[in-house]
Every structure is written in C-alpha cells, then in structure tokens.
Amino acid sequence: MDISHILDDLNDAQREAVTLDDQHGLILAGAGSGKTRVLVHRIAWLTEVLKVSAYHILAVTFTNKAASEMRGRVEALVGTESQGITLGTFHGIAYRLLRAHYQDVGLPQSFQILDADDQKRVIKRLLKSHELDEAQWPHRQVQAFINGEKEEGRRPHHIDPGHNPYVRQMVALYEAYETQCQRSGLVDFAELLLRAHELWLKNPQVLAHYQARFKHILVDEFQDTNSLQYAWLRVLAGGTGKLFIVGDDDQSIYGWRGAKIENIRRFSEDFMDVKTVRLEQNYRSTGIILEAANHLIAHNQDRMGKHLWSAGETGEPIQLYEAFNEIDEVRYVCNRIETWCEQGGKRSDVAVLYRSNAQSRNMEQALIQAQIPYRVYGGLRFYDRAEIKDVLAYCRLLVNRTDDAAFERVYNHPPRGIGNKTIEQVRVYARAEQVSLWQAANHLADNGLTARAKTAVKGFVSLIEALDEQTTGATLQDLMIQVIGRSGLQLHFEKDTSEQGQSRLENIDELINAVTGFKPATPSDVSEEQAETMAAFEVNQYDSPLAEFLAQAALEAGEQQADKWDECVQLMTLHAAKGLEFPLVFMIGLEEGLFPSQQSQEDAYRLEEERRLAYVGITRAEQKLVICYANRRRLHGSEFYPMPSRFIKELPTHCVQAVRLTGSVQTYGQANHHQSIGQSVKFNETGFAVGENVLHQKFGQGTIMATEGAGEHARVQVNFKHAGTKWLVTAFAKLEKC
C-alpha cells in the first residue's frame, strides 16, 4: 500500500503522532506547529492504514469554521473514505444527539436553541416576575451563574446554598429559568451539552450504542474544554474508545469562560496507555520571536514542557516603544503602519492587539485621522445583527409557537399597537396559568382585553397563522421572502433612508441568499447496516428545513468569528487573536495593571493565564513584532503613571530593541546606537540640561539623565531616588528645577 501521501509532508514529530498504534494520544501542539495537519493525517491513517470505518470516527472542534476546514482537508486527502465521519463542534454534535433522542431527554420534538441574547431576555423577564431590582441582581450575573453551574454539570437541586441568601436567590432563579425553558421547548448552549451528558448517564443502552460506534475520538484545542465537555468525552470513550487529543497548555487562555487547563494536565492520569508527542517545530514565526516566547512562558509553573523552534530565518529583534502617553502610542503605531505600506506591505497583514476592548477607541480614532482603513475583528456577526434576529424570531414562531423569547422580540415589531399594558396582561396570564405567551395571547384575544387591544393582538396572531398557511410546502427562499414582506419588516426598514437603514436592507437581502444556499443535512453514504443508525444521528426525519436552518444559524451565532477580511488593518483583543497570524503585529498597552490586568496581579493562577495570553500574542507575529507601553495613561477619568509590564522584563534582552522617535535606537539594556526608524524631531530643545536636579509632584527628587525632542514631543529621562528611571513629557510632567 502506498502511504506516501499521508506521511511525506510531515516532520518526525508529526509522523510519530499520526502513526500512533491503537492507543490514547496526547499531542502537545505548540503555536504554528501544524496541529490541523496532524488531525487530518491521523484520520487518513485510521481509515487507510488501520482500516477503521469512517462510521467509527468522531472528530470534535470548537468552531464551525474549524470543522469546515478540517472536513475539506480530510476529503481532499482521503476522498470517499471520509464519507460517514462524524465531525463538528461540541454544541453541534450535542444538538444532533438531542434531536435523535429528544424523547429520552424529555424535550419536545420541536425544541429550539436559545442564543445568548434571547437567554438574556428570558432572564430579564424572570427578574421582573420575581420583583427583583436589576440594579441589585444584574441579568448578566444571573446568566453567568446559570451557565457556570450547567458547565459544571449541576442542576438547581445539586446546589446547597447553605445560609447564603445570595446563592439561595440565584438557585431559585435558576430553577424558575429551567421551568420556563422546559415549558417553552427552549435549550440554551450550556443545556445542549448538559442534556447530552445526562443522556449518556441515564440511558445505558443509548450510551453503549454510541460507545460501540465511536471507537476513535479526535479532539482539537483540548486545552479549551470545560468540566462538562471533558466529562462528556470521558463517558463516551468509556473503556474501549481511543481518544486522540490535540492541544497546548501554554495557550490555555479561556479560564474566565470555564475552560479548565487541568483537563489536559490530568489526561494521562485519567486514561491508561497514553502516548505523549510534542510538536515543537514552528512554521510561522522567526527564530527571535520564538526565543522570546519560550523565555517568557518559562516563567509559568507546572507546564507540561515544550520548546518552540524554527528551521527558518532568525529575523530581526522585537521592537519596544516607550510612549509618552496613550495618544503618542497610537500615533507611533499609525506611523509604523504607514511606513510598512510605503515599503510594499499590505494593510491586511497588520494586526494591533490589546488586552481590553476599551483600548480600541484611541487606536480607531488615530487610524481614522490617518485615513488608514481598519476593521475591529470580532464585531457584530451576521446572525447577531438586530434586523437578522428580528426575521429569525418570526421564523422561530412559525416552527414553535411556545418560543416565548421569539414572541417577546416581535409581538410589536414593527409597531402594531400592542402596548406595554397589554403585553403585561399577557405575561401575567401566562405565568398564572403556566402556559406560553402565544397561548396566553390567543386566550386574551377573546377574553379580558379592551376592544383596541383585542384587535391588535388578534392581528398579530392572525399574521403568524397566515404566514404558516401560506408558507407550507414553500422553498426556504420563498418562505423567507414572505416572512420579511408580510411581517412589515421590509417596509419598516425602507422608511429609514440613512446609511444604517440601507445597511439593514442589505443584511436582509443577504439572509435570503443564506437560505437559498442552505442545504439540509442528509444521511452519509455508508453501508446498509450502518444507514439506520447514521440517519437517526445525523438528521431527524421530522425536522423541517426551516428548523434545521434556524438551528444552524443559532449555532453559528454562538461563535466568535469575523467577516471576510478586506484590505485593512485588523484590530482585536489578544483573546480574539488566538488561531490567527500576521506578518506585522503590534501589542499595545503592556503596562502593569493593564496587562497583566489589575485583578490578576495578586492571583498566581490568573497571572499565569495572563502570561499565556502574552505568549499567544507574541506567537501571532510571523516576521515583525512591536511592543508598546506608555509612561502616562488616562484610565477611568484619571491620570496614571504605570510601570512597564513584567512581561516585557521577562523577555531576553538580546531579543528586544528599544526605539526612540528621534531616530535613535537603544538596544534594550545595552548602549545606544543609531538607526533611522521614521520621522525625526528636533533634539535637545527641552529646556532642561543633563545633570540638572528636578522635583516631580508624584515621584519626588531626581536627576536629568537625557533629553530629546522639542515642543509637544519634548521629554526628559529622569533618575528618581525612590521611583527609578522614567521618561517624562515636559509639557505634562510639571518638573521643578531644584
């Protein structure tokens, strides 16, 4: 058998991982080390060499984009042998499981996915019905509590509030929320996984079936799994399934949303006969960048151990810019971007990374002033846009009349005369009778409302019923056109002649394009004996194409993804940058209290995650990396004089060059030398002389060590007796000569 197409393009470590025997595999894949290639070629090895049926393979990713990329690459490498592989996200696979076994998990056949925005609406209504002040009980806090408990596998009855009134109230809200969702046939994202896990635990025969089916389970980005996802995988693998997990403990940066770095660390303890393979050859960054990243992450304790290296060029040192303030910082970045473009570089090859979303404001303003096109990566996605959610809410009501969240969104949008008093009567009746808002509206339309209110409510009920009748048997495209037109949304948005109104109409047109190109799921092409179970798992025969489209839209809305890039600079948080790479990367705001964050400075566990985040940022750079920090920054309405981030000090000195706007470059920690880096300014016109003693209101007495610049750019380097050496802008520092 010729297996050269599987192995020839792999390095030694990748080949070792791909060709593992029938055992568990722990693949520690460093940044840029080709982890997707390993996963794809492992699937090829299983199907072509070990002769494992595609029916017995499950591959799990964290995003639909990653799943789509992996499926495409598998099909290109393996061809028809890949047909029948189950490949998708945790949530997508759990959704299909629940569709196939909705009766076993106690769900109605027409259950719908509740996205984060609609979950918020349900919780806000619960707070109101419990007469709780949202100022004291913020909906986001309640939402985080419920999702957090679900991700730990805990139902309300599992939580002992003890004598804590706060926890007792949270548990009561959690219980009321569950009741509401069950009555409405709604399932949130955390619930998808929890119900799927409970399906295993409560139905031994169902579990045995899937354990026999999925003999090989491959998991991408394993360091990002939470407690529930890991428990789900452990139960499914049982004593016979083989897990092949790929991850990097050094890139575990999502602890704040439930990811457990402990999962990858304990894997070898929880499973017998685990083979660990380290992928350390990096195909992305220069040697200097990798050396700096290795040196930084080595400061973390309890690492599993990995040292990135490259067979490529050494590259140039990381450049470190000490800005006067946050305005100088972003101006410098803009100047460097303009220089990059003048030298033939593309704007789309440039990324500006920051720790907090709030840091983007100054950067955006500077880019606008410099007329440099940019995009904030991770902004509102297509299915998150209000006009799209409005249309889909109408569609959800067509599929499931008991969907209270959808009812709340559209009952008076566009306005149709159903006022606050009327809808409150509907809500009160629904709570009292334990029925859906739709059922309550139908009842009150005939009993208990004023004549005007009855007319308005009946008009809405009749609209939905008429849409249901007219769209029965219609194509998805025709159905969507009917919903958009008959609901009044098209006319409503056409009234807005502004650019924003036009943008909404364009988005609605794109939604029609989306449903036109949507293909409902079909059973995979497998053998006759496999067809029955494949059909039950992959697609439920009672699902309508609209229900499938709504589920897919909700799943995609739950991911963090951006639109297709244009020729513009990319702005993003360090968290959003994971998995991406750029020739030129700027990391701004590297100051104590900002990065690492103030909250993490006294918490060793959180500080290590912040350091991993810095490691992720550094390893996004392919050719050039520029790190910036400011001596003075306005935060929360006040001026601060932060210290440079400890992460800067943890970089090896020979890998970093400190740059000056004067045209000089000072090697970090060494003597000065000169190199042109951009626009130069007048030198030594500050009004201060080297050796002068000065007094600063905050830092006390000090001595002038160096001067540079003129006018608003004039600044001096001062060695303070108690605060160390600092560069200060003379226009702001208010130095007094002693």
Side-chain angles (χ1 to χ4, degrees), residues 467 470-486 512 515-516:
L467 278 172
Q470 291 180 0
T471 57
T472 300
T475 65
L476 271 181
Q477 181 183 21
D478 290 338
L479 185 152
M480 198 63 68
I481 292 171
Q482 285 287 324
V483 168
I484 293 168
R486 292 292 302 276
I512 296 173
V515 297
T516 302

Side-chain angles (χ1 to χ4, degrees), residues 57-312:
I57 298 174
L58 170 65
V60 188
T61 68
F62 271 85
T63 67
N64 283 313
K65 179 182 178 182
S68 177
E69 179 188 354
M70 189 182 299
R71 183 175 292 281
R73 290 173 66 170
V74 168
E75 289 176 352
L77 184 63
V78 180
T80 58
E81 293 293 323
S82 68
Q83 294 180 355
I85 292 174
T86 300
L87 196 159
T89 66
F90 276 102
H91 292 105
I93 291 168
Y95 168 75
R96 284 182 277 170
L97 274 170
L98 299 186
R99 275 291 181 208
H101 300 279
Y102 68 91
Q103 291 176 316
D104 293 319
V105 295
L107 285 172
Q109 183 179 318
S110 59
F111 78 85
Q112 290 292 303
I113 298 175
L114 191 71
D115 67 17
D117 188 51
D118 288 325
Q119 184 187 36
K120 177 189 74 175
R121 293 171 184 269
V122 172
I123 290 171
K124 287 172 76 77
R125 290 202 308 273
L126 282 175
L127 290 169
K128 190 171 184 178
S129 67
H130 281 67
E131 298 181 347
L132 293 173
D133 183 1
E134 196 172 329
Q136 185 178 357
W137 300 92
H139 70 267
R140 294 183 186 276
Q141 202 167 320
V142 178
Q143 193 170 11
F145 177 86
I146 292 172
N147 292 339
E149 293 300 320
K150 287 187 177 187
E151 288 171 357
E152 292 297 326
R154 290 190 289 264
R155 295 291 186 189
H157 64 271
H158 294 137
I159 307 168
D160 180 12
H163 299 291
N164 189 323
Y166 169 82
V167 178
R168 189 180 302 114
Q169 182 62 73
M170 282 293 195
V171 172
L173 288 169
Y174 182 7
E175 191 170 17
Y177 171 80
E178 277 205 326
T179 301
Q180 174 65 47
C181 288
Q182 184 66 32
R183 184 171 64 243
S184 300
L186 299 173
V187 177
D188 60 44
F189 282 98
E191 184 73 15
L192 283 171
L193 287 169
L194 183 52
R195 292 255 183 162
H197 185 236
E198 291 171 344
L199 173 67
W200 301 147
L201 300 180
K202 296 178 181 180
N203 298 271
Q205 290 182 330
V206 174
L207 174 60
H209 165 75
Y210 287 108
Q211 284 179 334
R213 176 180 175 181
F214 296 126
K215 295 179 179 179
H216 289 271
I217 305 168
L218 299 86
V219 187
D220 190 15
E221 302 285 10
F222 190 79
Q223 78 280 349
D224 294 337
T225 55
N226 59 35
S227 297
L228 183 58
Q229 289 162 340
Y230 186 40
W232 188 83
L233 289 168
R234 288 186 66 185
V235 173
L236 179 57
T240 57
K242 301 303 178 185
L243 278 165
F244 184 89
I245 69 167
V246 180
D248 183 3
D249 58 317
D250 290 335
Q251 295 189 75
S252 179
I253 60 173
Y254 297 119
W256 51 277
R257 70 181 190 196
K260 302 286 186 182
I261 192 173
E262 296 85 355
N263 292 346
I264 194 169
R265 290 174 176 170
R266 62 186 273 196
F267 181 76
S268 295
E269 300 172 7
D270 293 337
F271 291 89
M272 301 288 291
D273 190 26
V274 175
K275 174 67 174 179
T276 300
V277 180
R278 289 172 170 80
L279 306 182
E280 298 174 304
Q281 183 174 358
N282 177 282
Y283 293 91
R284 174 188 300 157
S285 306
T286 63
I288 285 282
I289 290 171
L290 296 179
E291 185 179 355
N294 287 328
H295 204 275
L296 171 75
I297 202 63
H299 288 79
N300 273 3
Q301 305 298 314
D302 299 324
R303 293 177 60 233
M304 301 183 76
K306 197 167 56 283
H307 188 86
L308 296 180
W309 62 276
S310 172

Side-chain angles (χ1 to χ4, degrees), residues 386-433:
E387 58 273 15
I388 301 303
K389 292 175 75 69
D390 293 339
V391 176
L392 296 185
Y394 276 100
C395 295
R396 284 166 51 188
L397 269 184
L398 292 180
V399 171
N400 177 15
R401 299 291 199 279
T402 62
D403 187 338
D404 284 355
F407 185 99
E408 284 276 6
R409 187 174 189 96
V410 300
Y411 72 85
N412 199 43
H413 182 59
R416 53 176 54 88
I418 303 177
N420 292 334
K421 185 176 179 181
T422 300
I423 197 61
E424 189 55 33
Q425 285 181 264
V426 174
R427 292 173 184 144
V428 169
Y429 182 85
R431 287 195 297 268
E433 298 299 322

